[in-house]
Amino acid sequence: MSDSDSQATSSDSDSSSELNIGSTRFNPLKALYSSKLKIPVTSARLHDNVHTLEAKQNTLGGFTEPYDEQRIKQIRASTNTKKLNEIPKNVNPVRRFLPEQQPVQRVKPMRFQNNVFLRLEKGFEGPLGQMQKWMEQGVRVRVYIRKQKGIRGHVSGVLMLFDKHWNLAVRDVCETYHRRNYRYSENRLDPDGIVDPQDCSDRLRRLGIVLPPTTVRRDGKKNVIITRKVSQLLIRGEQVVLVTLEPSAQENATRQQQ
């Protein structure tokens, strides 16, 4: 009995020494599967493996340094080469080329661009040729403007530029057009909602808008003729009906021919 008791005692001591972490006979494989293992420090931090613990302690400066997770993150962030070499968002990355791999700068050839001035230098034929003569002579012309139905009025001035689409640029303009008298125009609004007309010239002047001077004269009972003077005016070709000399300029031209 004494021999069996001694053997049992020795086996228990051997198993306890194999489960003791501080013992030289510690058996880690047995400790993993044993339910009798006593963890000396229950608040110890868990790691995936020994290599992870060793790497973290080496980051701190060795096993003599106290373990600090926040300090490890700061050290790794300051020594991270990827973040240090990271290109800012507002800077475009520059590719590194060898001298023989550098891109070749291509010079775009100059293309001939036609414009109104070059077209006028070539000259026109027919009605446009006559308009070019009037433009070069600087005589006043009369341009009849159309509306949706019929003739709206006419514009008198000196031609500055024009193109093949009959778009005209005129200076020293005197525009005359007809419109219906407001008193005889049809009123489809609610009579109670009609507001009396107001003079907005002062308000436009404060806004920096200068209206050209206009004159109004009666043309019968239901129509009025409005005349205004403008320094420059651009007329679209689709509004042009006819271009002729101003009657006074036409008389002078006929006298010179005679």
Side-chain angles (χ1 to χ4, degrees):
M1 293 294 292
S2 61
D3 294 337
S4 61
D5 293 339
S6 61
Q7 290 177 359
T9 305
S10 62
S11 62
D12 292 340
S13 61
D14 293 341
S15 61
S16 61
S17 61
E18 290 179 353
L19 297 177
N20 186 8
I21 297 176
S23 175
T24 56
R25 301 182 62 187
F26 175 69
N27 188 355
L29 182 61
K30 188 175 182 179
L32 287 174
Y33 295 98
S34 176
S35 59
K36 298 180 180 180
L37 178 66
K38 294 182 180 180
I39 300 175
V41 182
T42 57
S43 61
R45 189 177 297 274
L46 297 177
H47 297 280
D48 295 337
N49 48 49
V50 179
H51 179 71
T52 303
L53 174 62
E54 185 178 1
K56 291 183 178 181
Q57 287 297 142
N58 291 334
T59 303
L60 293 172
F63 284 90
T64 57
E65 297 291 332
Y67 185 84
D68 189 354
E69 191 71 27
Q70 295 295 331
R71 187 182 169 196
I72 292 173
K73 291 181 180 180
Q74 293 176 0
I75 294 173
R76 288 182 176 178
S78 61
T79 58
N80 192 351
T81 56
K82 291 184 178 180
K83 290 187 177 180
L84 292 176
N85 298 330
E86 189 177 5
I87 300 174
K89 294 182 179 180
N90 56 351
V91 178
N92 295 326
V94 180
R95 185 176 177 182
R96 298 178 182 177
F97 290 98
L98 295 176
E100 61 272 10
Q101 294 177 338
Q102 290 290 340
V104 179
Q105 186 177 4
R106 178 178 176 271
V107 180
K108 188 176 181 180
M110 294 292 295
R111 295 182 60 185
F112 176 75
Q113 296 180 354
N114 196 4
N115 52 40
V116 178
F117 300 99
L118 295 178
R119 188 66 186 86
L120 287 173
E121 290 179 0
K122 294 180 181 179
F124 291 97
E125 295 180 357
L128 294 177
Q130 185 63 41
M131 286 178 56
Q132 187 174 4
K133 290 181 181 179
W134 294 341
M135 183 187 70
E136 293 173 353
Q137 295 173 2
V139 297
R140 294 185 66 85
V141 297
R142 176 174 290 187
V143 183
Y144 289 89
I145 308 298
R146 72 177 182 87
K147 57 182 180 179
Q148 186 176 4
K149 294 181 180 179
I151 303 297
R152 180 176 183 269
H154 62 269
V155 174
S156 301
V158 181
L159 277 175
M160 297 174 60
L161 286 174
F162 67 93
D163 59 6
K164 63 180 180 180
H165 304 290
W166 292 79
N167 297 316
L168 310 177
V170 190
R171 62 179 174 86
D172 299 335
V173 180
C174 179
E175 182 183 10
T176 303
Y177 61 94
H178 298 258
R179 69 165 172 80
R180 191 174 178 84
N181 194 356
Y182 291 145
R183 191 173 62 179
Y184 290 93
S185 60
E186 184 179 359
N187 183 13
R188 298 181 180 179
L189 299 176
D190 184 10
D192 298 333
I194 297 176
V195 181
D196 295 334
Q198 299 178 359
D199 187 8
C200 301
S201 57
D202 294 338
R203 184 178 179 184
L204 294 175
R205 196 177 297 108
R206 288 196 300 269
L207 294 174
I209 301 174
V210 180
L211 297 178
T214 59
T215 58
V216 182
R217 67 178 187 271
R218 297 181 63 86
D219 183 18
K221 290 184 177 181
K222 298 183 179 181
N223 297 320
V224 293
I225 300 175
I226 300 177
T227 304
R228 65 171 183 170
K229 294 184 178 181
V230 188
S231 59
Q232 294 180 352
L233 186 67
L234 178 63
I235 306 172
R236 297 181 61 179
E238 60 186 15
Q239 304 293 334
V240 177
V241 178
L242 180 66
V243 180
T244 61
L245 280 175
E246 188 76 8
S248 58
Q250 190 172 4
E251 292 176 0
N252 295 333
T254 53
R255 289 175 183 176
Q256 291 177 1
Q257 291 178 359
Q258 292 176 358

